[in-house]
């Protein structure tokens, strides 16, 4: 009893519950979407290695998720987002008219315009579909008359920006799960570039010509 009491005090002091008992309000399956493993499969792994009494399902899920993230960082020889991103992309300011933004889309044949403030900080993203919303008169842009609508009215929030030194491998699951086509890349809060699916595909195909073909 004294040993169990000491173990409980020690583990709680170091941030781990012992004996592990998952609270009823906690979702034990939380790691499953990241790992592709259900709660039952995680429990089966614990039983297979006789660790069910030492490690909880949630703890195992967190451990495997951390290992998966670490392994993803080693993919592509540590290539970072800054290594494959499009640096110095075509940008827009929130105050310019949407008609000028449309000309930028046509001239440069791009799919997305990062919107930045005067100091270079990323404030939003403008996609071609957002211009269609302006034409259709829906969304934020409908609050102003057509001639006064600006990029700031039509843009969407710039959520999901990643740091420039983030390993590309960690971004693959997000691109697959969220369906993101353009990911802003920031350096110390300022826009450093944008990363698209095409950039990742080129990285995946790098060196493919040297690999033997499968017949």
């Amino acid at each position: 009893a004294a040993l169990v009491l000491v173990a409980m005090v020690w583990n709680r002091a170091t941030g781990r519950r012992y004996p592990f008992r998952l609270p009823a309000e906690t979702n034990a399956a939380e790691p499953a979407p990241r790992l592709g493993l259900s709660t039952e499969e995680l429990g089966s792994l614990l039983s297979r290695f006789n660790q069910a009494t030492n490690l909880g399902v949630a703890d195992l899920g967190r451990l495997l998720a951390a290992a998966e993230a670490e392994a993803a960082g080693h993919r592509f020889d540590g290539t970072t987002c800054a290594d494959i991103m499009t640096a110095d992309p075509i940008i827009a300011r929130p105050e310019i008219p949407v008609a000028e933004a449309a000309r930028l889309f046509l001239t440069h044949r791009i799919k997305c315009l990062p919107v930045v403030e005067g100091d270079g900080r990323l404030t939003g993203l403008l996609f071609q579909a957002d211009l269609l919303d302006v034409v259709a008169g829906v969304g934020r842009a409908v609050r102003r008359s057509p001639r006064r609508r600006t990029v700031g009215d039509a843009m969407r929030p710039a959520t999901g920006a990643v740091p420039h030194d983030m390993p590309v491998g960690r971004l693959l699951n997000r691109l697959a799960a969220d369906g993101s086509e353009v990911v802003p890349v920031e350096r110390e809060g300022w826009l450093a570039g944008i990363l698209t699916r095409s950039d990742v595909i080129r990285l995946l195909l790098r060196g493919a010509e040297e690999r033997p073909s499968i017949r």
Side-chain angles (χ1 to χ4, degrees):
L3 288 175
V4 171
L5 181 60
V6 170
M8 292 176 63
V9 172
W10 172 259
N11 281 274
R12 289 174 185 266
T14 56
R16 186 181 184 276
R17 294 181 61 90
Y18 178 86
F20 185 84
R21 293 293 183 272
L22 193 65
E25 65 273 9
T26 302
N27 183 9
E30 182 180 352
R34 297 193 300 270
L35 299 169
L37 296 175
S38 65
T39 303
E40 291 74 18
E41 289 170 323
L42 291 173
S44 177
L45 286 173
L46 290 174
S47 299
R48 186 189 309 172
F49 292 96
N50 296 321
Q51 295 296 318
T53 57
N54 299 320
L55 192 66
V57 170
D59 279 347
L60 177 61
R62 285 191 290 268
L63 181 62
L64 291 179
E68 185 180 69
E70 190 68 23
H74 293 290
R75 295 174 189 168
F76 312 117
D77 298 323
T79 301
T80 65
C81 293
D83 294 328
I84 66 170
M85 71 181 184
T86 299
D88 300 321
I90 305 300
I91 61 172
R93 304 288 182 183
E95 64 273 10
I96 70 171
V98 292
E100 184 176 339
R103 284 192 291 271
L104 290 174
F105 277 113
L106 289 173
T107 302
H108 300 283
R109 302 295 180 182
I110 53 180
K111 297 180 180 179
C112 175
L113 274 172
V115 184
V116 299
E117 298 286 356
D119 59 357
R121 290 187 179 274
L122 182 67
T123 186
L125 295 173
L126 184 72
F127 290 84
Q128 292 181 1
D130 299 324
L131 295 182
L132 295 178
D133 289 340
V134 173
V135 174
V138 299
R140 295 177 56 194
V142 76
R143 300 174 185 175
R144 294 189 178 188
S145 62
R147 293 185 179 181
R148 298 183 59 189
R149 291 171 188 168
T150 65
V151 167
D153 297 320
M155 71 181 186
R156 63 187 69 181
T159 57
V162 299
H164 71 283
D165 56 353
M166 178 180 179
V168 177
R170 296 187 180 180
L171 196 61
L172 295 183
N173 287 341
R174 170 179 161 184
L175 291 173
D178 298 347
S180 303
E181 295 185 2
V182 176
V183 179
V185 182
E186 292 183 325
R187 186 192 300 267
E188 298 179 355
W190 280 269
L191 178 69
I194 58 172
L195 196 151
T196 66
R197 284 187 175 184
S198 298
D199 297 323
V200 177
I201 290 173
R202 279 193 293 270
L203 177 62
L204 292 171
L205 294 178
R206 183 182 298 172
E209 60 275 8
E210 286 86 12
R211 293 194 293 267
S213 59
I214 300 175
R215 296 181 179 179

